[in-house]
Amino acid sequence: TFATAPMWVVKTRMQTELAMGKERQYPTLVVGLRRILQNEGAFALYRGIFPSLFGLVHVAIQFPIYEELKTRFERHETTPATVRVMLASSISKVAASICAYPHEVLRSRLQATSSPVTGAFSDFARMCIVCKEIYHSTGLPGFYSGMTANLLRTVPSTMMTFVTYELTKEHLLPYIVGNNDADQK
């Protein structure tokens, strides 16, 4: 998160300036990094870091739900293992996204704009202000703006990742751990 945060800030600004029809200030990553450093200071490269840290909650929610669902679905032996993994991974992804998606909206809003306020805690103060702005203008649904599009992109990817992981683990584990029957003979 800390190593990649500056790249995310520049990427977000590159995307938003194109979407808003603005003159290109960030044509490349290097130019963007240099421009932000010169005009706004080093702290600006870490805009959105607080909400990004909240994003770790997503993993803390998704993996336990996935493991629990996978265990419960294993009881249904008539359903192919791949289908069980796809179901468990997609449900866990949606559940985690519902809980953690607001951090994505906050992070994007913080990274997309520059601010004259700098310092270690300016990001946290701006995050509180942006939260109030979102809530007052669009209510709770504003924190989930774009989530449907995000899920349409990430759920299939998550399913493929988990299926690949489980199949790889199933096929490689015997070679890594060794065959206990062969050891006993």
Side-chain angles (χ1 to χ4, degrees), residues 29-66:
L29 176 66
V30 174
V31 170
L33 289 169
R34 195 176 309 135
R35 178 162 281 151
I36 292 170
L37 274 171
Q38 289 172 347
N39 297 337
E40 301 172 53
F43 284 114
L45 293 173
Y46 291 90
R47 221 160 253 136
I49 196 75
F50 284 112
S52 291
L53 293 174
F54 291 134
L56 297 174
V57 170
H58 190 281
V59 174
I61 294 168
Q62 182 177 358
F63 281 97
I65 292 173
Y66 169 74

Side-chain angles (χ1 to χ4, degrees), residues 72-163:
R72 287 180 185 221
F73 292 163
E74 284 173 357
R75 296 179 195 144
H76 303 281
E77 294 177 11
T78 56
T79 306
T82 302
V83 173
R84 294 191 307 254
V85 170
M86 290 172 76
L87 282 170
S89 61
S90 61
I91 292 169
S92 65
K93 179 66 174 179
V94 171
S97 293
I98 289 169
C99 296
Y101 191 77
H103 95 277
E104 293 282 346
V105 174
L106 289 172
R107 182 180 51 79
S108 294
R109 295 259 181 111
L110 289 170
Q111 290 174 345
T113 59
S114 60
S115 171
V117 181
T118 60
F121 295 102
S122 68
D123 200 27
F124 183 76
R126 287 184 66 230
M127 182 178 72
C128 293
I129 292 167
V130 169
C131 278
K132 287 179 185 176
E133 288 173 354
I134 292 170
Y135 187 76
H136 288 303
S137 66
T138 57
L140 198 56
F143 290 99
Y144 293 91
S145 177
M147 188 172 93
T148 302
N150 183 62
L151 288 174
L152 289 173
R153 179 182 61 84
T154 59
V155 169
S157 173
T158 300
M159 290 182 344
M160 294 306 297
T161 300
F162 278 75
V163 166

